Amino acid sequence: MKALAPLRLVAGLHAVAICLQPVLAGAYLNGEGPALRMHEPIGLSLAGLGLIQLLIATAWWRTGGRGIAALVSLLILAGEVLQIAMGYSRQLAVHIPLGVALVATTVAFAVWINRQRTPARRRTEQTEVNA
């Protein structure tokens, strides 16, 4: 269960970074060219964060956490890889709605993972150790 704290941190960073993407895309569409130069590396780093999140979520699951965290992290990573491909190929009919779905899912995951608690048995053991 020691993987829960790092998973919360990575999920939070992931959510913040992904929320920057539509802001940068909007700034680019508003005529600010440098925004697109920032949109690309942040988008690429999101896939890296997605992979890290998947690895930590899998570790958390394997040590007694919820398996759904690993599954959702895998789906987010797959979506980000597809998102990168659609962005480079200028398939905006897929890139934009997929981006909206990824932002919503990643933020929802970050909120959800921060509401997870250690199992009752584990909390009881920690309370006894601290007493």
Side-chain angles (χ1 to χ4, degrees):
M1 295 305 264
K2 292 181 181 180
L4 184 56
L7 182 56
R8 287 175 174 162
L9 176 66
V10 170
L13 289 172
H14 201 172
V16 168
I18 207 165
C19 286
L20 286 174
Q21 290 298 85
V23 172
L24 292 170
Y28 171 71
L29 292 173
N30 202 32
E32 297 178 31
L36 186 62
R37 287 191 295 276
M38 291 174 61
H39 183 80
E40 180 182 8
I42 291 173
L44 293 172
S45 70
L46 285 170
L49 280 170
L51 179 59
I52 293 167
Q53 179 176 303
L54 173 59
L55 294 172
I56 298 171
T58 302
W60 182 58
W61 165 48
R62 300 292 293 169
T63 59
R66 311 242 344 239
I68 192 76
L71 178 61
V72 171
S73 295
L74 176 63
L75 292 174
I76 290 170
L77 177 59
E80 288 171 341
V81 170
L82 180 60
Q83 180 73 339
I84 291 166
M86 293 297 101
Y88 277 122
S89 64
R90 307 277 191 258
Q91 299 295 320
L92 297 181
V94 176
H95 187 73
I96 293 171
L98 180 56
V100 171
L102 283 169
V103 169
T105 304
T106 304
V107 170
F109 180 82
V111 169
W112 177 80
I113 201 65
N114 276 287
R115 301 181 102 203
Q116 297 303 300
R117 301 286 176 237
T118 57
R121 183 189 66 166
R122 179 85 173 171
R123 279 192 301 235
T124 304
E125 291 172 5
Q126 288 174 346
T127 305
E128 291 171 1
V129 169
N130 291 336

